[in-house]
Amino acid sequence: MDALEAIRDKGLRLTPQRRLVYAALAEHAGHATADQLCSAISLKVPGFQRTTVYRTLDLLVELGLARRVQLGHASAYEAVRDGSELHQHLVCEVCGSTTDIWVPQLLDGVRTATSQIGFELDQVELVGHGRCRACARQLA
Ligand SMILES: [Zn+2]
Ligand SMILES: [Zn+2]
């Protein structure tokens, strides 16, 4: 289902502001902080309310249209695409970049372990912290 259709489907008003925030997120390659999205949107719509961006991001996460990645002190967001809920994240402590990794075995292991104790699992959030290849090279 189209993401904007999904918003409509949940009975929520598809306000132009919500459309704009979702479009900015979908256009952003990789992971965007709320601040980055605010800057991108204010280029198109000067004076756009920051609180609207924050509130809409919360809503998109709630609807399963966006995913929040916890980066320690800050959060980044990404639009959910087909199968993208299966990836996990690596965060570089030096440059702050976020890298996607696919580790299906990890998810299988967690599913097996949780079902053994009768836990109903919705999702797994794994965030690995360290240094990206470029930063690790520079520090070596
Ligand atoms: Zn780095
Ligand atoms: Zn990601």
Side-chain angles (χ1 to χ4, degrees), residues 37-126:
L37 292 173
C38 286
S39 311
I41 293 169
S42 61
L43 288 178
K44 293 181 192 167
V45 186
F48 193 84
Q49 291 291 316
R50 296 174 73 81
T51 49
T52 305
V53 175
Y54 284 90
R55 257 190 268 121
T56 304
L57 286 170
D58 284 342
L59 176 74
L60 294 172
V61 169
E62 211 175 286
L63 295 176
L65 300 173
R67 192 169 153 186
R68 183 183 286 119
V69 187
Q70 205 57 46
L71 307 177
H73 52 291
S75 298
Y77 297 85
E78 65 189 328
V80 168
R81 298 181 173 90
D82 279 348
S84 74
E85 71 279 8
L86 298 175
H87 75 264
Q88 305 298 329
H89 296 100
L90 298 175
V91 178
C92 176
E93 302 291 357
V94 180
C95 69
S97 65
T98 307
T99 308
D100 292 339
I101 46 162
W102 274 260
V103 195
Q105 310 91 305
L106 170 95
L107 292 180
D108 292 345
V110 173
R111 280 198 192 104
T112 304
T114 50
S115 72
Q116 277 166 357
I117 60 166
F119 187 91
E120 287 184 16
L121 189 69
D122 286 332
Q123 61 177 45
V124 178
E125 292 294 331
L126 175 107

